[in-house]
Amino acid sequence: MSFSDQALVIFSGGQDSTTCLLQALAQYGPNQVQTISFIYGQRHSIEMDCAQAIAQDLGVKQTVMDLSLIGQITSNALMDDQATIEETADGPPNTMVDGRNALFLMYAGIYAKSQGIKHIYLGVSETDFSGYPDCRDVFVKSMNVTLNLSMGYDFQIHTPLMNLTKAQAWALADELGYLDYVREKTHTCYLGVKGGCGECPSCVLRNDGLREYLATKEASYENC
């Protein structure tokens, strides 16, 4: 493969980015994939610890960048460990970090170009996006154009989970042969509770999706 056949995965250590990493590894091979992770002042470190452990376990290079300066210009419940996590009826939850995915994609693009990489993976979903505007397909497509124009480079942003529900994301992990791995090794709890608190919006979405997928899988076995 050439340099253009390499991929860079924006990687948090959570379910979605790990599933994207596994798909990229299946597509391009272990020596053709890198990860990039961001410290942005999140209220816990366990997810980043998981990201480091998974990258080491899978033998994938991980680059970690510090973007915590964003805390100087915005505040939210995902970065303030004293804030109560809340969802709103008429807008995104207070865990939304303004500009986060735009920053991630811009810095990932700069790094990718320096490495001769054109394929960037981002684990966002428009189906189960929790009201975050920067998880929408229209946003990602606009950023793809912006990156290409700003750097004169032919980036291709891949969002394999964009049209999948959480249950379908679990199904994809299973198809890749890593259902138990993703289930046991990843972390998505907003509160940073090891194994998940089971109550925050992220845990509820993850657990409900897993139950739905396992129920569907069991039903298909019974019908065989």
Side-chain angles (χ1 to χ4, degrees):
M1 288 187 176
S2 64
F3 284 118
S4 62
D5 294 317
Q6 295 185 57
L8 177 68
V9 179
I10 297 176
F11 187 53
S12 70
Q15 174 194 350
D16 293 340
S17 65
T18 301
T19 302
C20 287
L21 173 58
L22 293 167
Q23 187 176 72
L25 287 168
Q27 176 71 32
Y28 298 97
N31 297 323
Q32 297 294 107
V33 177
Q34 295 188 40
T35 65
I36 187 166
S37 303
F38 297 99
I39 298 169
Y40 57 92
Q42 51 267 61
R43 61 192 289 166
H44 59 78
S45 63
I46 186 171
E47 198 172 51
M48 288 297 294
D49 293 340
C50 287
Q52 182 179 22
I54 292 169
Q56 290 178 348
D57 189 38
L58 298 177
V60 178
K61 179 182 177 181
Q62 180 191 33
T63 297
V64 179
M65 298 196 66
D66 187 350
L67 299 183
S68 56
L69 56 81
I70 193 175
Q72 298 177 24
I73 55 175
T74 188
S75 62
N76 52 78
L78 205 60
M79 297 164 61
D80 181 358
D81 61 7
Q82 300 302 309
T84 300
I85 293 174
E86 299 174 340
E87 296 190 81
T88 60
D90 56 354
N94 67 348
T95 51
M96 177 180 169
V97 182
D98 286 324
R100 179 177 62 171
N101 284 341
L103 278 176
F104 286 2
L105 284 166
M106 181 60 72
Y107 277 89
I110 295 169
Y111 177 79
K113 184 179 179 182
S114 76
Q115 300 292 303
I117 298 172
K118 294 188 175 182
H119 299 280
I120 300 174
Y121 278 70
L122 179 66
V124 295
S125 169
E126 193 170 67
T127 305
D128 285 332
F129 74 127
S130 301
Y132 298 138
D134 59 356
C135 289
R136 296 174 297 168
D137 188 53
V138 64
F139 162 74
V140 175
K141 283 184 167 58
S142 72
M143 278 299 297
N144 204 150
V145 173
T146 297
L147 290 181
N148 291 0
L149 290 174
S150 67
M151 289 182 247
Y153 198 67
D154 185 23
F155 293 107
Q156 295 180 45
I157 301 176
H158 301 266
T159 54
L161 308 184
M162 180 59 73
N163 298 311
L164 302 185
T165 65
K166 255 320 185 255
Q168 291 169 327
W170 282 112
L172 177 57
D174 201 6
E175 290 170 12
L176 292 166
Y178 283 90
L179 176 63
D180 289 339
Y181 187 91
V182 173
R183 189 174 179 177
E184 296 168 5
K185 301 289 187 180
T186 66
H187 178 90
T188 53
C189 177
Y190 284 155
L191 299 180
V193 177
K194 188 174 182 180
C197 70
E199 297 179 358
C200 74
S202 183
C203 281
V204 170
L205 191 61
R206 173 185 172 120
N207 294 340
D208 285 352
L210 180 59
R211 279 193 293 268
E212 181 183 344
Y213 171 62
L214 292 177
T216 302
K217 184 177 181 180
E218 182 178 353
S220 68
Y221 282 150
E222 291 176 353
N223 293 328
C224 288

